[in-house]
């Protein structure tokens, strides 16, 4: 099957697509957050979907992750690069940087987290020891190194329920559990993608210090660092898709 890439867009990423025609198409899990729109990055035709809707109105716990991943699959995607903003728990990375986490902790609850709901005649226990596509991670890291773009390799993404930010004690707890980043959207997106047979990676944009780990209010931190993380992520995607076009 030919590779087709889907980009899950977090906030601030609508500029990738000029495809305003596409309509939101119902999946077997209901409506996705938004239409799957075509985009072109460095000569590669890909698909995009705004995770929080258009406009940005759907909070992390209310996203229909099953419909979003199914919408990509129905539109022909085979590979998914998910853009997720995160807070950083310790200071091994500066805010404004990007990373490709390699593990997940899941603290979410009440989200429809599997495509299997007991209504079909079968289900599967997917393997999830490596929650992100090792091949796609390696290719993105290779692109980063070729383009001389800083992108941290690895780390544990703790998926928090949100939409509120964490308490200091919660950050201390997830750190004891091994977390490096806190975010709200990698799960159940990543495991649903695996259930659907999609190669999925999380490209994390470090936009703030986790609660209690920075100086001022978290929102000021996010304001100050989002642009640089976004610029870095865009450079990596451009390099990655340029490499694909030249392959
Ligand atoms: N916590 C949870 N999710 C986030 C954060 C955070 O500090 N920053 C961006 N997404």
């Amino acid at each position: 099957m030919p590779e087709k890439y889907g980009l899950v867009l977090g906030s601030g990423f609508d500029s990738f697509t000029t495809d305003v025609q596409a309509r939101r198409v119902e999946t077997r899990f209901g409506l996705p957050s938004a239409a799957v729109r075509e985009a072109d990055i460095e000569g590669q035709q890909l698909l995009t979907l705004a995770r929080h809707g258009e406009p940005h109105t759907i909070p992390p716990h209310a996203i229909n992750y099953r419909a979003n991943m199914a919408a990509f699959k129905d539109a022909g995607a085979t590979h998914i690069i998910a853009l997720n903003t995160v807070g950083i728990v310790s200071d091994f990375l500066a805010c404004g940087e990007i990373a490709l986490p390699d593990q997940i902790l899941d603290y979410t609850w009440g989200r429809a987290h599997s495509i299997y709901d007991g209504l079909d005649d079968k289900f599967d226990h997917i393997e999830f020891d490596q929650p992100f596509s090792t091949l796609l991670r390696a290719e993105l890291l290779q692109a980063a190194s070729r383009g001389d773009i800083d992108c941290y390799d690895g780390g544990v993404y703790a998926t928090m329920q949100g939409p509120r930010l964490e308490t200091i004690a919660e950050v201390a707890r997830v750190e004891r559990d091994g977390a490096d980043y806190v975010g709200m959207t990698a799960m159940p997106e990543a495991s649903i993608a695996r259930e659907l047979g999609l190669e999925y990676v999380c490209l994390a944009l470090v936009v703030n210090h986790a609660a209690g780990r920075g100086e001022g209010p978290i929102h000021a931190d996010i304001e100050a660092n989002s642009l640089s993380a976004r610029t870095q992520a865009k450079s990596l995607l451009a390099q990655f898709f340029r490499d694909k076009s030249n392959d």
Side-chain angles (χ1 to χ4, degrees), residues 38-52:
E38 306 246 357
D40 178 309
I41 303 183
E42 299 288 327
Q44 287 288 305
Q45 292 300 312
L46 44 101
L47 304 168
T48 65
L49 192 153
R51 184 191 278 120
H52 296 276

Side-chain angles (χ1 to χ4, degrees), residues 85-87 160 164-166 182-184 207-211 218 222:
T85 59
V86 296
M160 312 304 285
R164 67 166 176 81
L165 292 159
E166 293 72 41
V182 277
M184 299 178 192
V207 294
N208 62 283
H209 297 279
I218 290 180
I222 294 175

Side-chain angles (χ1 to χ4, degrees), residues 80-209:
I80 306 291
I81 301 174
L83 301 165
N84 302 77
T85 59
V86 296
I88 187 101
V89 172
S90 62
D91 55 6
F92 68 95
L93 259 185
C95 294
E97 301 274 339
I98 56 173
L100 285 161
D102 61 358
Q103 282 296 325
I104 292 180
L105 288 166
D106 186 6
Y107 301 92
T108 66
W109 48 271
R111 302 182 182 191
H113 68 283
S114 172
I115 65 167
Y116 304 115
D117 46 22
L119 301 174
D120 295 328
D121 55 4
K122 65 175 175 54
F123 72 94
D124 193 10
H125 296 289
I126 51 157
E127 303 221 4
F128 207 51
D129 56 329
Q130 295 295 339
F132 300 118
S133 164
T134 44
L135 191 63
L136 188 47
R137 280 190 75 256
E139 284 188 344
L140 279 158
L141 288 165
Q142 223 170 47
S145 124
R146 207 169 303 159
D148 207 14
I149 299 156
D150 284 336
C151 178
Y152 188 82
D153 176 6
V156 179
Y157 179 122
T159 320
M160 312 304 285
Q161 177 71 352
R164 67 166 176 81
L165 292 159
E166 293 72 41
T167 66
I168 290 173
E170 285 167 338
V171 172
R173 170 172 78 136
V174 301
E175 184 176 44
R176 286 194 298 277
D177 286 354
D180 298 298
Y181 318 102
V182 277
M184 299 178 192
T185 47
M187 285 296 284
E189 198 172 85
S191 55
I192 289 168
R194 177 72 50 86
E195 286 180 337
L196 288 168
L198 297 163
E199 295 289 320
Y200 177 102
V201 294
C202 157
L203 177 56
L205 285 76
V206 179
V207 294
N208 62 283
H209 297 279

Side-chain angles (χ1 to χ4, degrees), residues 208-231:
N208 62 283
H209 297 279
R213 303 300 168 102
E215 313 259 284
I218 290 180
H219 285 295
D221 221 7
I222 294 175
E223 188 85 6
N225 296 300
S226 290
L227 180 61
S228 106
R230 251 192 337 255
T231 306

